[in-house]
Structures are given as structure tokens and as C-alpha cells.
Amino acid sequence: MSKIKPSKGAPYARIMGVGGYRPVRVVPNEVILETIDSSDEWIRSRSGIATRHWASPEETVAAMSVEAAGKAIADAGITPEQIGAVIVSTVSHFKQTPAIATEIADRIGAGRPAAFDISAACAGFVYGLTLAKGMIVEGSAEHVLVIGVERLSDLTDLEDRATAFLFGDGAGAVVVGPAQEPQIGPTVWGSEGDKSDTIRQTVPWDDFHAGSQEKFPAITQEGQAVFRWAVFEMAKVAQQALDAAGITPQELDVFIPHQANMRIIDSMVKTLKLPDSVTVARDVETTGNTSAASIPLAMERILATGQAKSGDTALVIGFGAGLVYAATVVTLP
């Protein structure tokens, strides 16, 4: 018989607060057209993107995260000292070690929480949310700060016609805490590593370091393959998340997918047969694809603009490089 005492966590977990930060500089499609042979009409028709935000040198991954985290903590009505863990999802923190989460934890005044980074691309925020839920129910933390943050402008090849217009910068954060009833549903997640080359870094860091490649590494993708996968396979995952939570499309209030592409979002809405009463986040139009930051940024905006309200039931799904994916149903804070 085990002598280990059982964990004493909360029965359930919930999102308590949300915050976001978008860099000051707004970049219209006209700027992108300076380096690729395309048009504003083509970019809008293919992606739905009109503008995106690009960070200045001062708007670092850590600085943007601190801003978003401060708003989320205030929105949750707690103090930084109550944060027991900090999880940061990012692919654009360029130090192999230490994790940027440790610096962020210190800068927000969180004391000595657990702090670590995860790399799950555009699904990273939902991965972090799932880990936070487990921590709270298990009892290893009472409040967890989950951040999705990217400076994808650092990894954008402005001469790549397939991707130059897609990416933006920003940070989104949520505080996850204890709940007495289910407010974060089961997560449906996974990966399809046999398709990992469809979204990838152009050059490995070691090849660049060795000098065999002169051009700085960037993110590239096979657009049509990614589109087909996202539309057909991710709609299935989204439906599985609804089923796991015991929610029908008619009971859903809000849909917050990864803001990859407006055509993908609209196609998923159609495939899922979501009723017109469901509010759909379309933050991609003015924010671009911010990878791990896109879901919390879209969540923050949809609440701030009054398109959604506290207590609404929302389906969130992230999907991207790996290929990885994760979906769950949450109650909005």
C-alpha cells in the first residue's frame, strides 16, 4: 500500500482573467507589398488580413508578456504573489536557456513560482491551459498564469510570397484558478508528425551557426496542404471537443479558433454547422497570425468589445506546426 498522501487540489479549474498586448506599430498590407509581387486584394482574399502589429526593439517577448500578464492578473482580481506557476508558450524566444517564463515571473513580482516554456506553436496556448488545469486540480498550484507570446516578425521572410503577409506580434495571457464546477472541459489534443514539414523553420540553427546558410532562419509553409488539413481535420477535432464537454453547437455562445486565416475560420464554422447565434472571433483581420498568442488575444478583444460576455461558453482550438492541435470548451471569465 502506498504511503504517499493524495493531492489536495480544487475540484475544477476556471479562467479567472484575461489580458492582451499588441505592439504600437500597425503594419498595413501596403508595407508587405514593398517586398513581394502581390496586391492588397489578393492578400485579403487569401487570408482576410488587412493589418498586423510588429514589435519595436523595446517590445521584446518578455516586455509584451509582462504587459499582458499584468492585465490578466488585475482582471482576475488577485495579486502577483498568488501566482504559483507561469507557463509561457512561444517559438520566438531566441535564448535556448533560461526559459523566458522565469524572467517574466520575476518582472511581474510573482515571487518564486514554477516557471517554464513550452513549444507547441499555434496550439501552445491550449496546451498551456490544459497543463494549468491539471496543476490546479492536482494541487501543485492554486493560480497559474498562462501566456502565449510571439515576435514572429523576427522569423518572417519578407520575400516569401506564401508567408510574408501572415505573421504578427503580440502577447495574450490568462489566469487559471480553482472552481467549484467544471469551467474548462476535457482537452482533445494530439500531433501528426508525419506532416511536420508542412510548417517549418527554413534553416536549422546549427546550420546557420556553422555558416552554411547566410539567410536568417524564417518560418515557411505549404499553404494548400495546411489549409486542407486545418479545414477538414481540425473541424473534426473541434467537434470532438464539443462532444467531450457534452456541448452541442446550439448550446455554444462563442467560437475562438486560432487566428490563422479568415478562410480557414469561415470554413470551420460551415463544417461545424455553427448557428448564427454563435459569436466567431475574427481578430486575424487586424492582428494577423500571432501563433501562440492568437487565441488569448482574440479572447481579450471579443470580451473587451462586448461581442462576448462573462459566463459565455466558448470553444477554443489551436493548430499549427508539428503538426499539433488542441481544443477544449471553456467558460469565459
Side-chain angles (χ1 to χ4, degrees):
M1 183 180 229
S2 174
K3 297 179 181 179
I4 299 173
K5 293 181 180 179
S7 300
K8 295 182 179 180
Y12 305 102
R14 65 188 176 106
I15 299 176
M16 299 175 60
V18 60
Y21 179 83
R22 292 171 172 80
V24 174
R25 184 187 177 193
V26 177
V27 179
N29 288 337
E30 285 73 19
V31 172
I32 307 300
L33 297 175
E34 294 173 4
T35 51
I36 62 171
D37 181 17
S38 186
S39 68
D40 178 65
E41 180 183 2
W42 187 89
I43 292 174
R44 289 174 185 258
S45 66
R46 300 287 292 183
S47 68
I49 298 172
T51 61
R52 73 285 292 148
H53 295 256
W54 282 355
S56 67
E58 293 76 26
E59 292 169 314
T60 62
V61 167
M64 292 190 294
S65 297
V66 168
E67 291 291 331
K71 294 175 183 177
I73 292 168
D75 192 43
I78 65 170
T79 64
E81 292 82 4
Q82 292 175 270
I83 298 294
V86 177
I87 303 172
V88 177
S89 177
T90 185
V91 298
S92 46
H93 169 51
F94 286 167
K95 285 185 180 179
Q96 192 70 38
T97 194
I100 195 64
T102 59
E103 178 183 340
I104 294 165
D106 178 65
R107 288 177 62 171
I108 65 173
R112 300 174 64 185
F116 58 95
D117 299 350
I118 60 174
S119 177
C122 308
F125 172 75
V126 184
Y127 271 53
L129 186 64
T130 303
L131 294 174
K133 172 188 172 183
M135 288 175 161
I136 290 159
V137 173
E138 187 271 338
S140 58
E142 186 175 7
H143 299 96
V144 180
L145 177 66
V146 180
I147 299 170
V149 57
E150 302 292 3
R151 270 182 56 118
L152 293 181
S153 58
D154 293 335
L155 289 167
T156 299
D157 181 353
L158 293 178
E159 297 178 348
D160 181 357
R161 191 170 185 269
T163 60
F165 58 90
L166 285 177
F167 302 122
D169 303 336
V174 298
V175 172
V176 183
Q180 295 303 309
E181 59 182 12
Q183 295 194 43
I184 301 176
T187 298
V188 176
W189 55 356
S191 65
E192 298 183 42
D194 60 317
K195 301 179 181 68
S196 61
D197 279 349
T198 56
I199 306 174
R200 63 191 183 277
Q201 183 172 308
T202 52
V203 181
W205 292 115
D206 53 352
D207 285 356
F208 182 73
H209 177 69
S212 59
Q213 300 286 337
E214 294 184 1
K215 199 168 187 178
F216 193 77
I219 296 172
T220 190
Q221 67 176 22
E222 297 174 15
Q224 288 301 315
V226 172
F227 181 85
R228 289 193 298 270
W229 175 77
V231 169
F232 297 109
E233 298 303 321
M234 292 305 98
K236 297 175 186 176
V237 172
Q239 183 61 57
Q240 290 169 11
L242 288 173
D243 294 342
I247 300 292
T248 67
Q250 289 69 34
E251 294 174 301
L252 198 64
D253 299 308
V254 182
F255 180 40
I256 309 176
H258 163 50
Q259 302 293 294
N261 179 304
M262 195 75 79
R263 292 170 62 212
I264 291 174
I265 294 170
D266 291 341
S267 295
M268 290 182 71
V269 169
K270 184 178 180 180
T271 302
L272 288 167
K273 298 179 180 178
L274 297 183
D276 292 341
S277 59
V278 174
T279 298
V280 179
R282 292 187 170 89
D283 193 44
V284 66
E285 180 180 4
T286 56
T287 305
N289 179 343
T290 55
S291 188
S294 80
I295 291 175
L297 278 173
M299 183 182 294
E300 185 261 351
R301 173 162 282 173
I302 211 168
L303 285 165
T305 57
Q307 298 174 71
K309 63 184 185 301
S310 174
D312 278 353
T313 300
L315 168 64
V316 297
I317 179 170
F319 45 87
L323 294 170
V324 295
Y325 56 86
T328 189
V329 176
V330 303
T331 301
L332 294 180

